[in-house]
Amino acid sequence: MSEPVVYVSEEFSKTARHAWIWQIVRGALAIIFGILALFWPLQTAVALALLVGIFALVDGIVDIVDAIRFRGSPGVGLRVFLGIVSLLFGALVLFWPQISLAVLAVLVAIWAILIGALQIIANISLRKESGRSWVWGVVAGAIGVIFGIVVLITPKAGVITLIWLLGIWAIVFGIILIVLGLQLRKAASVAIVAP
């Protein structure tokens, strides 16, 4: 039984040829962050804020650099905005001295929901020309939104609970980004114009 034909626009295929590696880099960074969150003894909100802030800054920079490299491609504006949101969040968390756990939890939740929603929108807008790879981007975004909602509805969770939620989310998010990168790599070798 033959596999169904997957339609990928030629323009998307060209972009995917260079962009897939960045998704894998972002995924690897997220996994490293998740492992650090789970196994590094972070007993205070300030230590957790430092780790979260650095991750958000690095992720935002990677997103913006990737988007600028492919300016003119579909979805670039949203990618730049997504990167700016992560940069601003990272800077806010890093430069807010004596941030409380409650405030940090709310900020992390809002960031995850916003980033997840933007990722969903960006990937849905590419669904007609990106084959099946857009689905993984939507899944990654949905996990971010779900994580953010879970954090918001558990406001009295302690630092350990927040760290575990954050670590698990980052690892799952990272794995899905790596799968997305591999799907983009596959899409890069296919350029079939839909009839």
Side-chain angles (χ1 to χ4, degrees):
M1 191 173 181
S2 61
E3 285 189 23
V5 177
V6 178
Y7 295 105
V8 178
S9 76
E10 192 172 346
E11 183 183 356
F12 183 83
S13 180
K14 284 179 186 173
T15 303
R17 205 167 294 140
H18 304 286
W20 68 271
I21 191 67
W22 288 97
Q23 294 305 319
I24 291 177
V25 168
R26 284 185 70 209
L29 287 171
I31 291 169
I32 291 166
F33 167 74
I35 291 168
L36 284 174
L38 290 176
F39 297 106
W40 192 18
L42 298 166
Q43 301 302 325
T44 67
V46 174
L48 181 59
L50 182 66
L51 184 62
V52 170
I54 290 170
F55 171 70
L57 283 176
V58 172
D59 190 59
I61 290 167
V62 169
D63 233 355
I64 291 170
V65 168
D66 185 32
I68 290 171
R69 286 182 67 226
F70 301 106
R71 56 190 172 277
S73 301
V76 165
L78 270 175
R79 291 287 306 281
V80 170
F81 184 59
L82 201 142
I84 290 170
V85 167
S86 283
L87 278 178
L88 290 175
F89 168 76
L92 175 65
V93 169
L94 281 176
F95 298 110
W96 187 337
Q98 306 306 315
I99 189 169
S100 71
L101 180 62
V103 172
L104 178 61
V106 170
L107 288 176
V108 167
I110 292 169
W111 173 60
I113 291 168
L114 191 53
I115 290 298
L118 288 171
Q119 189 139 5
I120 290 169
I121 293 165
N123 283 280
I124 287 176
S125 69
L126 294 173
R127 71 188 182 283
K128 290 183 181 175
E129 55 189 37
S130 64
R132 292 190 192 115
S133 59
W134 69 275
V135 173
W136 290 102
V138 169
V139 171
I143 285 173
V145 172
I146 292 165
F147 164 75
I149 292 169
V150 168
V151 172
L152 279 181
I153 62 176
T154 54
K156 296 191 177 178
V159 68
I160 301 300
T161 304
L162 181 59
I163 289 168
W164 275 92
L165 284 172
L166 194 57
I168 291 166
W169 165 69
I171 290 169
V172 173
F173 182 69
I175 290 168
I176 292 172
L177 284 180
I178 288 172
V179 172
L180 173 60
L182 295 173
Q183 286 291 315
L184 287 173
R185 186 181 182 193
K186 187 176 176 183
S189 62
V190 181
I192 305 171
V193 180

